[in-house]
Amino acid sequence: MTSTPPLKLYNTLTCSKQDFLPLDPANVRMYVCGPTVYDFAHIGNARPVIVFDVLFRLLRHIFGAEHVTYVRNITDVDDKINARAAQDFPGLPLNDAIRAVTETTAARFQADAKALGCLEPTREPRATDNIAEMIAIIGKLIAGGHAYAAAGEVLFSVGSMPDYGRLSGRRLDEQQAGARVAVEAHKRNPADFVLWKLSAENEPGWESPWGRGRPGWHIECSAMSHRYLGETFDIHGGGLDLIFPHHENEIAQSRCAFGTGAMANIWMHNGFLRVEGEKMSKSLGNFVTISDLLETEKFGGRKWPGEVLRLAMLKTHYRQPIDWTVKALEEAERTLDKWYLKLRQSNIDINALPDDDLDEEFMGALRDDLNLAEAIAQLYAVFGDRDMHQSLPASGLASARLIGLLQHTPNEWEEMKRGRLNLDTNKIGSLITARLAARAAKNFTESDRIRDELVALGIQIQDSKDPVTGELKTVWEVKR
RNA sequence: GGCCUCGUGGCGGAGUGGCUACGCAGAGGACUGCAAAUCCUCGUAUCCCAGUUCGAUUCUGGGCGAGGCCUCCA
């Protein structure tokens, strides 16, 4: 604790890296926009989940696990959910159908996040459990002259906030010139956005002072962050695309409702993801969900361990665009194979690792706005060092585990790979025995034939010779 | 049209006002019956044009190129 360099984070609000100084070191508070649960999360959705999980882990390390509160919401009220519910469960009453959609997709999302090695957030509130909070904030906004009811909606009045648009670097007058915002007669300003809208009979709704209706998208996050983190908190994160309008509008709502100068001090945004060089979209047919990757053979003709997905995601700086390719996943898996092999040779008990002894250069890179590319390069150095054959430094291993890698034992890792292929270990054993016999008899034609057969089964063998007795030995592993 | 990123070796991807990481792929070697794995060694890059500077890949300006946002899409 003597003179640790500060954590630096890039702040979208100031367009610069700045030292992170929490409002209250005893309770560091972070909010990240979670998924709208109308469909299974795609691999692009996984990026903020993983990136902010790393930040969560880092903050816990720096400030103490019990001093960090991480809130990631689940948006379970949304018109897309309604449409999905009606489409997928036409026989059910709408409320039941909606619940069926949101329960399934939310559970799937949580399972995905776990498979990707992410810790559970401190809180994972649902929008539908926080309607009262939203109504209270809307009431404050109306009372303060920041919102008005018109034509069955309650709208936020952007003109009531002098520096609206600061986060996204937009000015209201330019917005209007852009002409892409629909001008609607009931809006005072074309950029005014919905806080509450009335629901028809066949739409989900909650009673409110303005009639039975449902919240606009942005108000949910203002409500949930306020309830769990307060009027002003430390870090707000999400994808790049949320800067405008979502985060801009959250800021407007929260600051105007509570009369504060800031909703969050630092705004962080992760970059987008492309798939094999192209934008991911359903029309291009390259839309890939997290569960597709984990449990089907849709991407690259095979399943992928969550840890491979995690490493592949972390090898690119979080603010850079990332190209999601089969090649990158294969490379990530090879790297993990090597590290697990090293770990197996080291005889370190991963359950007895100190969590305060970490590689200094690794930590330096992490503290520099989560420079994971450089941090991971440090891990290559740690795991690749020849002299470390027998003594992998515990600090290197603990470093990898800090960012959620190497969460398994080497045996578990190998088992996962074997399980993926449904291998018949007895058959493999007898083939290897037969091959050893052929080699002993110098029948190399036969031994090579057996090796080809094993390769066809996805097995890679490695021959060795006992240095003392000269005895031939063969070990095998799942082919990389 | 407005705003914002970014252009580094064959590929991915960092940092830096002077000597440019790391990984993959590639080359040579050791080992092997031959392989594989492992180990040793090695090569190759900073979009273009100006400017600032003793010196720029790094700073400034312009150009070209790529991507994103401006549509409740992470």
Side-chain angles (χ1 to χ4, degrees):
Chain A
M1 283 299 280
T2 42
S3 59
T4 317
L7 169 63
K8 286 181 187 292
L9 296 173
Y10 183 88
N11 189 354
T12 305
L13 207 49
T14 57
C15 294
S16 62
K17 278 188 208 175
Q18 56 189 71
D19 289 353
F20 176 63
L21 299 169
L23 293 161
D24 175 7
N27 185 19
V28 179
R29 291 159 285 164
M30 172 164 78
Y31 185 92
V32 173
C33 292
T36 300
V37 287
Y38 68 98
D39 199 354
F40 286 2
H42 57 69
I43 188 59
N45 296 109
R47 195 167 189 192
V49 174
I50 295 174
V51 164
F52 290 104
D53 177 67
V54 170
L55 181 55
F56 181 39
R57 289 165 178 269
L58 180 61
L59 292 171
R60 284 160 61 96
H61 171 75
I62 295 174
F63 297 98
E66 66 280 16
H67 298 304
V68 182
T69 305
Y70 171 29
V71 177
R72 185 182 63 205
N73 71 291
I74 286 179
T75 296
D76 60 354
V77 49
D78 181 280
D79 286 354
K80 272 187 300 204
I81 294 175
N82 305 339
R84 187 68 178 226
Q87 176 196 316
D88 288 0
F89 302 96
L92 288 181
L94 187 65
N95 279 350
D96 295 341
I98 287 172
R99 192 172 305 113
V101 168
T102 59
E103 289 298 313
T104 318
T105 51
R108 181 68 244 184
F109 173 76
Q110 287 165 334
D112 288 345
K114 191 176 176 192
L116 293 170
C118 297
L119 301 175
E120 284 181 24
T122 318
R123 290 184 179 280
E124 202 163 19
R126 289 169 192 245
T128 50
D129 291 333
N130 291 276
I131 302 287
E133 180 78 25
M134 296 178 210
I135 290 172
I137 292 176
I138 295 170
K140 273 180 190 269
L141 288 172
I142 292 176
H146 294 289
Y148 57 96
E153 292 180 338
V154 178
L155 294 154
F156 184 90
S157 173
V158 295
S160 73
M161 182 179 183
D163 59 348
Y164 179 81
R166 194 174 137 220
L167 179 73
S168 53
R170 265 164 241 277
R171 289 171 41 191
L172 281 172
D173 45 2
E174 287 168 352
Q175 277 295 294
Q176 290 164 42
R180 285 184 95 159
V181 184
V183 177
E184 294 174 60
H186 68 290
K187 290 188 178 179
R188 291 179 190 168
N189 183 308
D192 288 352
F193 56 91
V194 172
L195 298 171
W196 189 263
K197 55 187 159 191
L198 296 185
S199 293
E201 279 294 316
N202 61 346
E203 289 172 327
W206 290 262
E207 291 305 327
S208 81
W210 318 284
R212 182 179 171 278
R214 58 196 191 281
W217 177 36
H218 315 300
I219 195 69
E220 302 173 15
C221 289
S222 284
M224 288 184 270
S225 61
H226 174 250
R227 177 166 171 189
Y228 295 107
L229 300 176
E231 294 181 354
T232 300
F233 50 96
D234 296 300
I235 298 170
H236 190 127
L240 206 59
D241 59 325
L242 295 182
I243 295 173
F244 189 91
H246 186 54
H247 289 168
E248 196 70 74
N249 292 348
E250 278 185 51
I251 290 173
Q253 293 161 350
S254 292
R255 284 185 49 199
C256 290
F258 308 124
T260 53
M263 178 186 186
N265 282 336
I266 294 194
W267 290 77
M268 295 177 66
H269 295 94
N270 61 273
F272 260 45
L273 174 148
R274 298 162 68 75
V275 174
E276 301 287 357
E278 291 186 308
K279 181 169 178 161
M280 180 166 62
S281 73
K282 284 182 174 165
S283 57
L284 280 172
N286 61 354
F287 197 87
V288 52
T289 69
I290 303 169
S291 54
D292 282 343
L293 289 159
L294 292 168
E295 292 173 6
T296 77
E297 302 186 345
K298 286 185 189 169
F299 193 77
R302 51 161 292 189
K303 298 177 184 178
W304 300 93
E307 204 162 90
V308 168
L309 306 182
R310 186 179 179 95
L311 177 58
M313 195 71 88
L314 292 180
K315 281 170 81 174
T316 300
H317 187 100
Y318 76 92
R319 284 189 278 118
Q320 295 287 104
I322 185 171
D323 193 14
W324 195 254
T325 62
V326 173
K327 194 183 164 205
L329 296 189
E330 287 171 345
E331 201 173 308
E333 180 166 60
R334 245 179 101 76
T335 298
L336 287 171
D337 282 340
K338 281 190 186 176
W339 291 357
Y340 274 113
L341 182 66
K342 217 67 162 180
L343 178 55
R344 183 192 295 282
Q345 293 167 345
S346 73
N347 294 322
I348 292 179
D349 178 2
I350 59 169
N351 295 314
L353 276 179
D355 58 2
D356 52 351
D357 177 25
L358 297 165
D359 187 276
E360 260 318 302
E361 298 199 49
F362 174 90
M363 290 305 293
L366 265 195
R367 277 192 295 262
D368 180 15
D369 191 32
L370 303 181
N371 189 340
L372 283 151
E374 195 177 327
I376 288 169
Q378 266 311 305
L379 294 182
Y380 283 120
V382 168
F383 283 89
D385 195 323
R386 316 341 171 215
D387 299 335
M388 303 301 177
H389 235 303
Q390 297 305 318
S391 58
L392 180 67
S395 62
L397 181 55
S399 300
R401 288 171 66 88
L402 177 73
I403 57 173
L405 298 173
L406 300 183
Q407 298 291 307
H408 308 282
T409 65
N411 285 337
E412 285 167 356
W413 182 252
E414 188 66 18
E415 279 308 308
M416 279 168 50
K417 298 188 60 130
R418 292 183 185 191
R420 187 164 69 71
L421 287 176
N422 279 325
L423 297 175
D424 180 344
T425 47
N426 288 331
K427 184 180 179 190
I428 292 164
S430 56
L431 282 169
I432 286 176
T433 307
R435 181 168 168 278
L436 280 173
R439 286 179 68 212
K442 301 227 186 300
N443 183 350
F444 296 122
T445 314
E446 173 65 3
S447 77
D448 288 351
R449 188 196 64 73
I450 297 174
R451 180 167 61 200
D452 290 343
E453 191 177 340
L454 285 163
V455 168
L457 290 171
I459 301 304
Q460 181 63 60
I461 54 170
Q462 291 171 30
D463 292 335
S464 62
K465 200 182 279 185
D466 189 295
V468 181
T469 65
E471 182 193 3
L472 295 175
K473 285 196 282 199
T474 297
V475 296
W476 64 275
E477 63 178 6
V478 175
K479 199 165 119 191
R480 293 171 185 176

